[in-house]
Amino acid sequence: MREHASLAVLDSLAVEVITDNVSDTYVSKTSFAVSEFANVVLAGAREISGETLLAANLGYGLRLRSRIGKSEHVVLFDTGTEGAIFIRNCRNLGLDLGEVEEIAITHGHWDHMGALPAALDAILEKRGEVTVHVNPGMFNERGVLLKSGTVFPAAKVPTPEEMRARGATVVNDGAERLLLDRHFYYSGEIPRVSAFEKGRTDHLCRRDNSEEWVPDPFLMDERMLVANVRGLGLIIFSACSHAGIVNVCTDARRLFPDIPIHAVMGGLHLGGVMEKIIPDTVEALKPFDIGYIITGHCTGWRALHALADAFGDRVSQSAIGTSYVFDASAAPPT
C-alpha cells in the first residue's frame, strides 16, 4: 500500500500565516478566516501599532494545527525569509513555538528556509527536539540569470549538517511520507505533466554545488503538503508552485481520486515572467472544482484578478497574521 492511501481524516485543521509578502488586514476574507488585527488583539496587544502588528516580507511560512478527537499535532510549513521577522511575527500572534513537532520544507529557496535556523533555535529551546523534512535536491546552490547575462546567486540555505548541529533531527529523503500519526501527507516528486507549466528558464543551479551553473527550470525538489478534513476534503498547501499549480492539483487528484479538493493555499508563482500562462492556468483549474483558492506569496496581482474573475468568492488573497479554520462542524464566525 502506498503511503498516501492511509492519510488520516482530520476533524479540524487550523492555519496561521506567519510569513507572506502582503500585509493587509482589510483584504476580503473567507468566512472561516480571522484577520491580523483580531489575532494580535487575541494575543494580548493593548493597542494597534507598528510594533504590535506583523511584518511582511518576501517568503512564505505557515503553522498548521491538526486535530482528531483529543489528539493534536503542530507542524510548520516552511518558515520564510528572515529569522528576526519570523520570531517577531510568532510573538505578536502569541504562537508558542514549543508546540511545533515537525517542519515540512517545500524546496531549497532562501525565502522559504532563511528563517529556519532561528525557528529551530526557538523550538529547541522550548521542547528540546524537532524533526525537519527535506530532500537532497534542496541543497544545490541556486541563482537567477539576469537579462545582462550575469548570474546572480541566491543565499545558500541551511544544510542538513547545520540543522543537526543545532539539535534537529533531519529526514533527508526524496520519497513521499506521512507525518505526525498520518495527519499530513508530504509528497514525493511532483510529476510535470501539463503542456504549459514549463518553469522559469532564468532559474539556475549548481548541482552538488559544482562550479558550473546549469538550467534548473523545473525545481524538481519542490514538495506539497496535503491534509484531509472530515466533511470538507483535501487542503493542499503549495508554497511556491514551481511545479505548476495545475501539476500540483493533478498529482493530488491522482493520489486521492475520490476526495474533493476543498482548498488550495499558497503561492502560485504566476507573477512577472510567468504571467503569460495565467489564462491557461485558470482554464485548467476549472475541472478540479476547487472550493477555495487562497493565494499568497508569489502569485502576482494579475493572476489573483484573473482567478477572482473566473471563480468569484472562492478566491481570496492571503496576508500575514490571518488565521483559517477548516472544520465542517464549526459555525462560520459572525
Side-chain angles (χ1 to χ4, degrees):
M1 181 172 65
R2 297 283 303 277
E3 288 285 336
H4 65 271
S6 57
L7 178 66
V9 180
L10 306 179
D11 291 330
S12 68
L13 177 65
V15 181
E16 280 93 16
V17 182
I18 301 171
T19 304
D20 206 339
N21 295 29
V22 171
S23 173
D24 187 354
T25 197
Y26 303 112
V27 70
S28 298
K29 293 178 172 59
T30 66
S31 62
F32 51 90
V34 177
S35 74
E36 177 189 5
F37 273 5
N39 282 325
V40 298
V41 171
L42 289 171
R46 299 294 182 89
E47 64 179 9
I48 298 297
S49 70
E51 286 71 30
T52 61
L53 293 174
L54 279 63
N57 62 348
L58 178 69
Y60 201 60
L62 309 175
R63 189 189 77 160
L64 314 179
R65 181 188 295 276
S66 60
R67 181 180 64 82
I68 300 176
K70 294 183 178 179
S71 173
E72 293 190 346
H73 286 296
V74 178
V75 63
L76 289 182
F77 178 72
D78 286 351
T79 59
T81 306
E82 200 272 326
I85 290 177
F86 175 86
I87 297 299
R88 166 208 167 117
N89 288 354
C90 289
R91 181 186 66 241
N92 286 5
L93 286 174
L95 302 183
D96 181 2
L97 287 170
E99 296 179 335
V100 175
E101 301 161 84
E102 300 193 355
I103 302 174
I105 297 295
T106 60
H107 63 293
H109 271 164
W110 61 277
D111 53 332
H112 297 261
M113 292 179 72
L116 182 57
L120 290 176
D121 291 348
I123 294 165
L124 290 164
E125 182 180 4
K126 290 283 192 75
R127 65 179 292 120
E129 60 181 357
V130 67
T131 299
V132 184
H133 292 274
V134 291
N135 68 72
M138 294 182 182
F139 304 102
N140 294 319
E141 185 178 358
R142 260 56 192 255
V144 176
L145 181 64
L146 304 181
K147 289 182 179 179
S148 65
T150 302
V151 178
F152 199 65
K156 294 181 180 179
V157 301
T159 65
E161 293 74 23
E162 290 168 339
M163 297 178 217
R164 292 186 183 106
R166 287 187 128 84
T169 298
V170 180
V171 181
N172 185 16
D173 190 316
E176 64 174 1
R177 67 203 81 148
L178 294 173
L179 311 183
L180 297 169
D181 294 332
R182 303 183 292 111
H183 282 211
F184 299 96
Y185 171 76
Y186 179 74
S187 79
E189 193 172 281
I190 299 168
R192 274 50 167 179
V193 296
S194 76
F196 56 89
E197 292 172 320
K198 300 301 183 184
R200 291 185 56 157
T201 57
D202 58 345
H203 278 174
L204 307 177
C205 76
R206 285 174 165 157
R207 292 206 170 91
D208 300 319
N209 299 314
S210 63
E211 291 299 315
E212 182 185 6
W213 288 102
V214 296
D216 186 29
F218 289 111
L219 267 86
M220 298 303 295
D221 57 299
E222 188 182 45
R223 301 297 187 255
M224 64 175 167
L225 193 73
V226 180
N228 181 15
V229 178
R230 188 182 315 280
L232 298 179
L234 301 179
I235 317 297
I236 300 172
F237 297 97
S238 181
C240 230
S241 303
H242 290 290
I245 193 59
V246 175
N247 284 331
V248 168
C249 292
T250 299
D251 202 38
R253 178 61 52 81
R254 176 184 67 85
L255 293 164
F256 306 100
D258 301 320
I259 306 175
I261 300 176
H262 180 71
V264 171
M265 186 169 181
L268 306 190
H269 222 283
L270 292 170
V273 299
M274 302 302 291
E275 290 179 351
K276 61 182 180 294
I277 69 167
I278 290 173
D280 289 328
T281 300
V282 170
E283 194 62 29
L285 286 175
K286 290 178 180 178
F288 294 103
D289 194 23
I290 301 165
Y292 295 93
I293 302 173
I294 304 169
T295 72
H297 185 34
C298 53
T299 300
W301 69 269
R302 292 185 191 277
L304 176 61
H305 287 201
L307 289 163
D309 287 344
F311 301 112
D313 289 343
R314 288 189 282 171
V315 176
S316 60
Q317 180 172 323
S318 171
I320 56 166
T322 309
S323 60
Y324 301 84
V325 176
F326 297 97
D327 184 341
S329 67
T334 59

